[in-house]
Amino acid sequence: SPSQAADALLMTTDTNRAEDLLFDLYMAQVTATENTDPLQALVIQRNNITLILQVVLRQGSSYVFTVTDVYNPTHPGIAMWTLTTYVMPAVFTDFTWLTATNRRDTSNNLAGPVTVTRMELDTSLSLLSDPFF
């Protein structure tokens, strides 16, 4: 739960780990709840290792963010995450507002759940029908 109110959440997989232990977040979707109530969380920027969500975070509330449509790392293990909250200026044209001045809370090296190995199937060699994929 945040110690201060914020308008945005930056989620990053640990870039200090080996390449084969990183998630690919480029196609990720996010749903959120605040104290078990649905909460709007809009992905406003993404790349392979980072998601920036526009989401209203209130001090002391409990939040759950579920990230789906993620490519797991190529090797099993425990992924580490960094979560940082920010206040957003009323008007902005790019992401230069991601500064220490606008930063509110940071949690580094949070252990995520154990991940399983990503499987890649060659559908041309499979006996399964197309609807399976």
Side-chain angles (χ1 to χ4, degrees):
S1 83
S3 68
Q4 304 175 65
D7 305 308
L9 173 65
L10 172 67
M11 303 171 71
T12 305
T13 60
D14 183 1
T15 57
N16 293 323
R17 298 186 64 158
E19 180 78 19
D20 59 356
L21 295 174
L22 294 176
F23 281 95
D24 184 345
L25 303 173
Y26 193 73
M27 299 300 289
Q29 302 296 316
V30 179
T31 57
T33 60
E34 176 185 8
N35 301 324
T36 71
D37 295 323
L39 178 68
Q40 183 176 359
L42 177 66
V43 177
I44 57 174
Q45 186 175 6
R46 72 176 78 228
N47 62 33
N48 289 15
I49 60 169
T50 301
L51 291 174
I52 302 175
L53 308 176
Q54 183 175 355
V55 58
V56 175
L57 300 171
R58 294 186 296 182
Q59 179 181 355
S61 288
S62 177
Y63 296 92
V64 173
F65 293 91
T66 304
V67 183
T68 59
D69 298 332
V70 172
Y71 286 103
N72 279 359
T74 56
H75 288 89
I78 296 177
M80 304 304 284
W81 295 86
T82 296
L83 304 177
T84 307
T85 60
Y86 293 88
V87 291
M88 294 171 49
V91 177
F92 64 91
T93 56
D94 58 20
F95 295 93
T96 57
W97 52 269
L98 293 171
T99 64
T101 302
N102 294 330
R103 184 174 39 229
R104 293 301 176 254
D105 290 312
T106 298
S107 296
N108 294 311
N109 297 317
L110 294 171
V114 174
T115 59
V116 295
T117 303
R118 177 177 68 218
M119 295 187 327
E120 295 182 22
L121 300 175
D122 184 346
T123 58
S124 67
L125 299 175
S126 173
L127 299 176
L128 299 171
S129 60
D130 285 338
F132 179 81
F133 300 102

